[in-house]
Amino acid sequence: MTRSLAVPAVPVREEHKALFASINAYVHDYMSQPGHDNSHDYHHILRVLSNANILLKSELDANPKSGLDTSAIFLAALLHDVGDHKYAKPGEDPENQAFNALRERGATEELARKVQVLVKHVGYTNEVRNPQSVVDVLSKYPELAIVQDADRLDAIGAVGAARCFAFGGAKGNGRTLAGGIDHFEEKLYRLKDMMKTTKGKEMALSRTKILEDLAVQFKRESELSFALD
């Protein structure tokens, strides 16, 4: 007997629970396909959902009348890596993939478009290349702050370090372990200054300290006790 996939118990609106369950199953299957390494797998999605849940609770505690669209937040957290260019598959339409998946499963056009916009603007590279686009989306859809921070938190700390090395082994084109440490400096340390939510900033500081300590210890352990002639 095949066991059905468990559905994360996050606070989507009642009318979207069936949609959320269907998208959860779709994302599970999508992220389990060959070509997806364990730096970007379904467990990553679950952790991002968990982070988003923590951040949402903090935001609602600070402002109970914020009017945040919880369904859009958690659907975008589920779908944020679908169509990722690093793992794109032939025939995919990354610009509309989240939208299409949602519409095929009964989402309204308005919700599907909103989630697609959120998904498109989560990424670090997009914000570095076009920071104004993120500012513009945040002014219309403040939910982006939670989804963005939730994803970036999974890129730092102990899990972030593990993901960095896993990605380097799978997609790094020969990147060494030391090259993974270099990536901390190139990107991961910067994420704490790109957080949008109060709780995200707090969590990012402690997780970045973990990376910094690991980098110091890695360099210490990598020093050779002899010269290379």
Side-chain angles (χ1 to χ4, degrees):
M1 180 178 177
T2 302
R3 184 179 177 182
S4 60
L5 181 66
V7 180
V10 292
V12 297
R13 302 208 306 256
E14 187 66 35
E15 65 266 31
H16 295 139
K17 287 187 174 179
L19 172 65
F20 182 80
S22 180
I23 290 294
N24 179 59
Y26 164 74
V27 171
H28 174 271
D29 291 345
Y30 183 89
M31 302 298 285
S32 301
Q33 292 179 39
H36 276 268
D37 61 272
N38 57 13
S39 70
H40 291 77
D41 60 5
Y42 181 67
H43 295 288
H44 164 61
I45 301 300
L46 290 177
R47 291 191 300 269
V48 172
L49 284 168
S50 180
N51 290 337
N53 195 39
I54 293 168
L55 299 177
L56 174 64
K57 288 177 181 177
S58 179
E59 291 295 295
L60 292 179
D61 285 344
N63 183 11
K65 297 182 179 180
S66 63
L68 290 167
D69 184 343
T70 59
S71 295
I73 288 170
F74 291 109
L75 287 168
L78 271 180
L79 287 160
H80 79 275
D81 271 340
V82 170
D84 186 326
H85 68 93
K86 297 186 295 296
Y87 299 90
K89 302 168 184 61
E92 289 186 340
D93 178 13
E95 291 299 312
N96 298 290
Q97 200 158 341
F99 175 84
N100 292 336
L102 286 161
R103 289 291 282 158
E104 288 166 6
R105 288 160 181 80
T108 65
E109 183 171 349
E110 179 183 10
L111 177 60
R113 290 201 183 283
K114 181 175 185 177
V115 172
Q116 180 67 64
V117 170
L118 295 177
V119 167
K120 183 177 179 181
H121 291 86
V122 166
Y124 170 86
T125 301
N126 172 76
E127 184 164 7
V128 169
R129 289 178 179 172
N130 189 1
Q132 187 59 46
S133 70
V134 173
V135 173
D136 293 343
V137 173
L138 282 168
S139 68
K140 184 176 183 180
Y141 299 138
E143 294 83 3
L144 175 61
I146 290 175
V147 184
Q148 240 190 13
D149 283 10
D151 182 41
R152 290 172 184 179
L153 284 169
D154 204 51
I156 51 181
V159 168
R163 291 182 64 218
C164 178
F165 293 125
F167 182 80
K171 300 284 188 179
N173 296 319
R175 187 169 80 187
T176 63
L177 292 178
I181 295 294
D182 291 340
H183 189 63
F184 292 5
E185 187 77 40
E186 294 163 357
K187 175 183 176 181
L188 303 188
Y189 292 160
R190 301 179 183 185
L191 296 179
K192 68 181 186 303
D193 298 320
M194 299 175 72
M195 295 290 166
K196 310 299 189 301
T197 64
T198 300
K199 185 67 173 178
K201 293 174 183 177
E202 174 191 320
M203 294 172 69
L205 285 174
S206 62
R207 293 193 183 199
T208 301
K209 181 64 165 56
I210 291 171
L211 293 182
E212 292 169 344
D213 290 346
L214 175 59
V216 170
Q217 185 65 22
F218 181 94
K219 290 174 182 177
R220 183 178 296 136
E221 294 178 13
S222 297
E223 292 177 359
L224 301 179
S225 63
F226 52 81
L228 291 171
D229 295 329

